[in-house]
Amino acid sequence: MSTHTPALQALDHHDDAEQLAQQAREAADEAQVGWEQFERLIAEDMRVEPRDWMPADYRKTLVRQISQHAHSEIIGMQPEGNWITRAPSLKRKAVLMAKVQDEAGHGLYLYSAAETLGTPRDEVLDQLYSGRAKYSSIFNYPARTWADVGAIGWLVDGAAITNQVPLCRASYGPYGRAMVRICKEESFHQRQGWEILYALSHGTEAQKQMAQDAVNRTYGPALQMFGPPDDESPNSQQSMAWNIKRFSNDELRQRFVDMIVPQAEALGLTLPDPDLKWNEERGHYDYGALDWDEFFAVIKGEGPLNHQRLAHYRRARDEGAWVREAAAAYAAKQAQRRSAEETLLSA
Ligand SMILES: [Fe+2]
Ligand SMILES: [Fe+2]
């Protein structure tokens, strides 16, 4: 109970109100300074770091993009992981194991980058576990033959590099830096895929046919990895204004097509697109329409393997729970021991 007289109480309230107003003014000033600093960083094409002030939408966009990217790396281990035990030689097996392991590493760098934005790892992993998260639709297609491992490396990792090289300059520091290392590994992945297809296309007629079949099935979905056409990609423009994305979906897709046409010729394989031809005027290859109905159906969960991919992920996460629990218990015990030692030393 206050011992102040009503007059003094009124004065107290006045002081409180004044203090609150002052705090609100200071917070607004801080946001204004933060906003100006953010705008300057973007205008001067510099990095935004985790402790810098950033608009809520910028943070949200990054968490969405980085976590979807991380999920794609993790789910993307499955189609090729299925082939590790069936790789045709010890050398191929060792290379494929290293490649799949790299993808796990990519997922981990990216989950760490998402954590620097204040989103706990468990939260984004739960989104994947519950089926609410999106990941690249290409990984919902099966890898039917060994040649698919080649086609995935050449076309899927090839599309990933085309998409990711500009992301090395993304305005958010931890994302851009993670991408530098990822791109180095992706370029090894693409070469190993190309080399698998080269060996097959220069082997027996049946092997060449197997390579061609894998390319036929992977080409369309690989071109769709860049996302919908520019006029149907509402978030792209904002991402470009924030220097997260540097080129539009269609620009990147064109760059990819221009890159793979001569590579397919060197492989002795054809790309399954009758409309594919050099356009002298544009200085680029023209290519045919893509099946966007299929793309959106796969995104919605109706691809050939959506259920299987998610079920496998859930099983692996459940079966690995005891490892995470044991590691956490061990870390807690070590921390407790350290603090007990420190108390003893300071006593
Ligand atoms: Fe990767
Ligand atoms: Fe890769």
Side-chain angles (χ1 to χ4, degrees), residues 18-143:
E18 185 52 39
Q19 209 176 352
L20 282 175
Q22 178 63 22
Q23 280 169 357
R25 274 195 298 273
E26 279 170 12
D29 285 351
E30 231 171 89
Q32 182 62 28
V33 170
W35 179 267
E36 280 164 14
Q37 193 186 22
F38 175 80
E39 295 272 281
R40 188 176 54 80
L41 287 175
I42 298 297
E44 292 175 8
D45 206 355
M46 287 163 72
R47 298 274 207 206
V48 177
E49 296 297 340
R51 286 199 184 87
D52 292 334
W53 185 92
M54 60 188 91
D57 282 347
Y58 176 81
R59 191 184 294 274
K60 210 170 110 189
T61 299
L62 280 167
V63 170
R64 192 189 60 229
Q65 181 171 334
I66 296 173
S67 62
Q68 283 178 8
H69 189 164
H71 299 327
S72 304
E73 302 281 359
I74 297 301
I75 297 289
M77 293 161 75
Q78 291 187 37
E80 290 168 294
N82 282 340
W83 279 95
I84 290 175
T85 55
R86 292 173 289 165
S89 71
L90 184 59
K91 183 185 134 193
R92 297 282 185 209
K93 192 191 290 272
V95 170
L96 185 58
M97 271 170 61
K99 196 257 185 194
V100 173
Q101 212 166 12
D102 284 352
E103 307 299 6
H106 298 173
L108 297 183
Y109 305 147
L110 291 163
Y111 286 130
S112 299
E115 273 183 320
T116 66
L117 291 156
T119 310
R121 187 174 300 215
D122 283 345
E123 196 177 308
V124 282
L125 290 175
D126 286 344
Q127 286 169 2
L128 181 59
Y129 190 91
S130 65
R132 278 175 295 142
K134 288 202 174 78
Y135 56 83
S136 189
S137 58
I138 188 105
F139 301 119
N140 291 314
Y141 291 87

Side-chain angles (χ1 to χ4, degrees), residues 147-158:
D148 284 67
V149 175
I152 291 171
W154 177 44
L155 294 172
V156 176
D157 290 90

Side-chain angles (χ1 to χ4, degrees), residues 316-331:
R317 191 158 173 222
D318 291 344
E319 285 173 1
W322 70 272
V323 180
R324 292 190 299 277
E325 281 160 20
Y330 181 75

